[in-house]
Amino acid sequence: MGGIALNNRDYEAAVAIFGDLLRKTNSPRVKLELARALFLARRFKEAQQVFQEVLSERNVPWAVQQNVRLYLDEIDGTLGFVKFGLSFVSDSNPRNFTSSKEVIITGQILNVVPPEDNREVRGLRYKMTTGKPFSDDGRMLGFFNLSFTDFEQSQFDRWTGDTGFIYAFESLPQLKSRTGIEYSEQGGTKQYDFPYTSLLYTPDPVQQFRLNHEFKIGRLHVPTAPHLDANNYTLSTNFTRPLESGVLVKGYLSIEKSSTKEDPHSYHGGSIGLGVDLPLSSFGFELSGSVGKRLFGGIDPFFGGKRDDTTKKYGLIVSNKNIQFFSFMPKVGVIYEQNDSSLDFFSYDKISFVFSLEE
C-alpha cells in the first residue's frame, strides 16, 4: 500500500503508511521507504534523520548505504550546508604535453622538445561546496563550489569555481532548472569562463537517482585564445543500479557539440562511462572507466590534418567506512588518462594519485 501511494505521488499517505508500519517493526527497509517518502513530501529534516538512522543500522548493504548518501547530499543542498575537503594530489603530466617524439607541422616532421617544467608535480587541493535555500519551500537553491590546487610550481596552481541557482518546479516534479557560471584560472591567468543554463529531467522521482537526464547549453569564453570561444551543447544521461550482491553500478552517456567561428576548432562527439562501487569487508572500492570521442570539423591550418581524439580514463578509489577523522572520510586512489589523437601533438597520457579527506 505504501509503495502504491508513492507511485501515485500521494507522498503524505505513503508517510502515514510507512510510519504506522515502522511502529510495528524496526525494519531498516521500512525506515528506508519512510525516509524516501518524507524526502518526496519535502519534509527534509525528518527525512534526514531517518536516512541517518538507516546508515547507523548494521548489515545494511553497501549499495544501499551509498544510495542513502546521495539522498543526504541532496537534502544538504536543500536545507543549506558548507562542506570542506582536502586532498594530496600528484600529476605526471601537468601540461598534457604530447608523448610523441615527432610531430608534423605545416608538412614538415619536427622533433618534440618537452618543456622543462613539465614533470611530475605534487600539491594540495582545497575544496569548498555550499548550498543555501532562497525560498521557504526550498525550491529555489543557490550553490557555490570552489576548488584551489596549490602545486609545488606556482605556474600550475589552479582555481576553479561554479556558482548559480537551481529551481524545482512545483507543478512538474520531474523537472529542475539550473543556471550558473563556471570559472577557471591557472598560474594567475584566467583560463575561461562558462555561463550556462540547463534543464534536468528525472522520469521517476520515487527512484530519485536511478535515472536522470540533463540538457545543457553554455557560452565558452577563452580570453587568451579567442578562436576557441564557442557555443556548447550537451545532452547527458546518468544512472545508478544497486545489485543484490551489494554492488552499486553507476554510469553515464553523453553527446556534445561545440561551435566556434573556425571549423577546425568546432567538434561533436560523445562519451560513455561505467563504474562499480563494491564492498570488501569494511573497505569500499570504486572502479571506473570511460571513453570519449571528439571529431573536429575542418583541416587544422597549422598541423595540416583533421583532428580526431579518443580519450580513455581508468580510476580506482579505496575508502574504509569504519575510518573517519571527525566528519571526514579518507579516500586514496589513482587515475590514468590517455588521449590518442590523429594529430600527434595532441596525444598524451598521465597518471594522477590522490589522497583526500572529504565530509
Side-chain angles (χ1 to χ4, degrees):
M1 290 175 61
I4 292 171
L6 275 181
N7 290 326
N8 290 334
R9 299 178 187 169
D10 191 352
Y11 303 134
E12 291 295 345
V15 169
I17 293 169
F18 290 127
D20 181 64
L21 188 58
L22 188 61
R23 285 188 283 272
K24 301 174 184 177
T25 173
N26 201 35
S27 165
R29 174 62 188 273
V30 176
K31 286 184 178 180
L32 183 63
E33 296 302 331
L34 174 60
R36 193 160 56 179
L38 288 165
F39 175 88
L40 292 165
R42 304 189 71 80
R43 293 163 61 174
F44 296 116
K45 289 185 178 180
E46 296 169 79
Q48 184 181 53
Q49 179 180 344
V50 181
F51 274 130
Q52 289 172 341
E53 289 179 12
V54 173
L55 279 183
S56 67
E57 295 277 354
R58 292 185 177 182
N59 301 321
V60 174
W62 179 262
V64 175
Q65 293 181 41
Q66 296 298 71
N67 200 51
V68 166
R69 290 187 177 97
L70 293 175
Y71 277 100
L72 288 172
D73 287 343
E74 192 81 5
I75 291 172
D76 283 342
T78 302
L79 297 179
F81 72 98
V82 178
K83 291 185 178 182
F84 298 94
L86 174 66
S87 303
F88 302 88
V89 297
S90 72
D91 189 332
S92 65
N93 184 3
R95 293 194 180 278
N96 292 344
F97 197 76
T98 180
S99 54
S100 302
K101 302 300 182 183
E102 297 178 339
V103 297
I104 299 176
I105 299 178
T106 62
Q108 299 183 15
I109 299 177
L110 301 177
N111 293 326
V112 174
V113 179
E116 291 184 1
D117 63 358
N118 192 54
R119 55 182 181 271
E120 183 179 15
V121 292
R122 302 178 183 87
L124 293 175
R125 178 175 296 147
Y126 309 90
K127 289 178 62 178
M128 180 180 72
T129 58
T130 67
K132 178 177 175 58
F134 283 91
S135 61
D136 293 337
D137 58 6
R139 294 188 180 277
M140 175 68 79
L141 306 171
F143 64 89
F144 176 63
N145 304 321
L146 185 65
S147 173
F148 172 60
T149 307
D150 183 12
F151 282 114
E152 299 164 304
Q153 302 180 48
S154 60
Q155 66 267 35
F156 298 123
D157 291 352
R158 188 177 185 94
W159 289 93
T160 58
D162 186 13
T163 186
F165 297 91
I166 299 174
Y167 182 75
F169 297 92
E170 183 173 3
S171 58
L172 297 170
Q174 297 99 330
L175 292 179
K176 291 182 181 179
S177 66
R178 178 165 57 188
T179 300
I181 182 170
E182 298 176 19
Y183 176 88
S184 179
E185 182 178 300
Q186 182 172 319
T189 301
K190 180 179 176 180
Q191 298 294 294
Y192 69 84
D193 62 68
F194 182 66
Y196 64 86
T197 187
S198 68
L199 191 65
L200 299 96
Y201 175 63
T202 303
D204 183 6
V206 176
Q207 300 290 345
Q208 185 82 7
F209 301 102
R210 285 288 184 96
L211 183 69
N212 55 72
H213 313 283
E214 181 176 12
F215 176 63
K216 184 176 184 179
I217 60 175
R219 176 64 180 174
L220 179 68
H221 175 230
V222 186
T224 57
H227 60 283
L228 297 180
D229 291 352
N231 295 320
N232 285 2
Y233 310 88
T234 306
L235 179 62
S236 59
T237 294
N238 297 276
F239 70 87
T240 63
R241 286 290 186 278
L243 305 181
E244 292 183 0
S245 59
V247 174
L248 183 67
V249 178
K250 299 178 285 187
Y252 74 88
L253 174 67
S254 71
I255 55 176
E256 60 178 347
K257 180 176 177 60
S258 179
S259 299
T260 67
K261 293 181 180 179
E262 302 175 5
D263 284 346
H265 306 294
S266 297
Y267 63 82
H268 65 277
S271 60
I272 185 170
L274 189 65
V276 291
D277 195 336
L278 54 93
L280 184 61
S281 185
S282 61
F283 287 90
F285 294 84
E286 298 177 50
L287 297 166
S288 62
S290 66
V291 59
K293 188 78 170 178
R294 283 183 175 178
L295 302 172
F296 288 77
I299 302 298
D300 190 293
F302 192 68
F303 293 100
K306 184 179 288 189
R307 187 175 170 187
D308 177 351
D309 286 12
T310 301
T311 303
K312 301 173 185 177
K313 287 185 181 180
Y314 307 97
L316 170 63
I317 304 293
V318 181
S319 60
N320 189 308
K321 61 183 179 181
N322 295 330
I323 300 177
Q324 282 195 330
F325 298 101
F326 301 98
S327 61
F328 295 86
M329 177 180 289
K331 294 183 178 182
V332 61
V334 59
I335 300 170
Y336 174 73
E337 179 179 343
Q338 178 181 341
N339 189 68
D340 296 318
S341 179
S342 59
L343 303 180
D344 290 339
F345 184 77
F346 298 102
S347 296
Y348 66 87
D349 63 350
K350 65 194 306 180
I351 297 177
S352 300
F353 295 93
V354 60
F355 171 75
S356 65
L357 295 170
E358 295 187 5
E359 289 188 274

